[in-house]
Amino acid sequence: MSFSKIFTAAAEDIDELGHVNNAVWVRWIQDLAVAHWEAVAPDEHRHAFVWVVTRHEIDYRGNLAEGASATGKTWVPEPPRGARFNRHFCFADSAGRTLVEGITTWAMLDRASGRLVRVRPDIAAPFLVG
């Protein structure tokens, strides 16, 4: 299932060029993924596992000025491979124009041991599109 969240550019998000800094977009990508996990995963999964990013692939196509908002959307189109899966994301402005999009690879860790663990089908199922 896909998940959406609105992000608004605050004064501290703006760089010397007058728009959202690239580091802020990366934070929003993570915030979007974490919000999706927290909204969908059952308590027992949220307490047992934690996710880490292993790779970002980001295309910057536009930007936002202070006070402007973008809707971030994320989805997982394919089943996981072992401990990892690819999460797609797209941020669009109020006119629907894509500003930032890409794919982030996440790996699941056992919260207690910190070790990589295979993403079981029951953990992945609520996040898969289709």
Side-chain angles (χ1 to χ4, degrees):
M1 124 176 143
S2 67
F3 177 83
S4 298
K5 178 180 165 100
I6 297 173
F7 295 83
T8 302
E12 61 271 14
D13 299 328
I14 306 303
D15 63 18
E16 63 273 7
L17 299 174
H19 55 65
V20 172
N21 184 279
N22 289 4
V24 173
W25 286 108
V26 172
R27 179 171 39 90
W28 288 357
I29 292 163
Q30 178 163 330
D31 292 349
L32 179 62
V34 170
H36 189 197
W37 171 250
E38 290 176 350
V40 175
D43 285 342
E44 61 270 17
H45 293 170
R46 288 195 319 272
H47 295 299
F49 307 109
V50 64
W51 295 90
V52 295
V53 172
T54 62
R55 182 174 189 275
H56 285 299
E57 180 181 322
I58 304 169
D59 293 314
Y60 297 96
R61 305 196 186 290
N63 221 315
L64 293 176
E66 182 179 347
S69 296
T71 300
K73 180 179 176 184
T74 186
W75 63 99
V76 179
E78 298 134 7
R81 293 179 317 276
R84 293 177 174 78
F85 71 81
N86 290 328
R87 175 183 287 281
H88 294 239
F89 60 86
C90 178
F91 289 83
D93 65 15
S94 59
R97 186 173 62 105
T98 297
L99 303 174
V100 175
E101 64 183 342
I103 302 169
T104 300
T105 303
W106 290 81
M108 191 172 76
L109 304 177
D110 176 85
R111 191 178 288 277
S113 71
R115 297 176 67 99
L116 283 172
V117 291
R118 180 174 298 280
V119 182
R120 300 185 319 250
D122 64 307
I123 295 169
F127 298 93
L128 294 172
V129 174

